Amino acid sequence: QVQLAESGGGLVQAGGSLRLSCAASGRTFSSYAMGWFRQAPGKEREFVAAFIRSGTSTDYTDSVKGRFTISRDNAKNTVYLQMNSLKPEDTAVYYCAARGSTLFYGWARAANYEFWGQGTQVTVSS
């Protein structure tokens, strides 16, 4: 069983930055597929970013490309989401997700992840 704990959310003005962290339990963290998703009120959970295939490549949803960066520190069992140039439409609950094996495809589908954190609220004011 893998436990995930997000932190770093908050209220920020448009144009500002936040860094989300996701601390994971487990001794084989480096082999986990890791991703970030978000869910805004009244909307379905959507893919934001993930490590894909071998775990060194990354993918982002189009709306965050060039603004968000996913990274990981395997020594700390932690994955990060650096969010810059935030927009009001980025407002959502952000979730960290993990799978205990590499995802070679389907990394943007929430159903392909086995473990989820409790979420952290990000609110961007205009």
Side-chain angles (χ1 to χ4, degrees), residues 91-107:
T91 295
V93 177
Y94 283 71
Y95 296 91
C96 176
R99 178 184 175 93
S101 59
T102 302
L103 274 170
F104 292 96
Y105 55 88
W107 51 82

Side-chain angles (χ1 to χ4, degrees), residues 23-68:
S25 64
R27 292 176 293 177
T28 58
F29 174 78
S30 61
S31 66
Y32 296 168
M34 300 294 300
W36 286 96
F37 288 74
R38 66 186 179 186
Q39 187 166 17
K43 296 187 177 181
E44 293 190 356
R45 191 168 298 190
E46 67 168 350
F47 169 74
V48 177
F51 285 97
I52 66 174
R53 299 192 183 102
S54 65
T56 56
S57 298
T58 57
D59 190 29
Y60 300 87
T61 191
D62 286 345
S63 63
V64 308
K65 285 181 180 176
R67 299 189 298 123
F68 290 12

Side-chain angles (χ1 to χ4, degrees), residues 75-95:
K76 295 183 178 180
N77 280 15
T78 301
V79 64
Y80 304 97
L81 186 67
Q82 178 67 45
M83 306 185 296
N84 299 328
S85 302
L86 282 161
K87 303 176 181 180
E89 51 263 44
D90 294 318
T91 295
V93 177
Y94 283 71
Y95 296 91

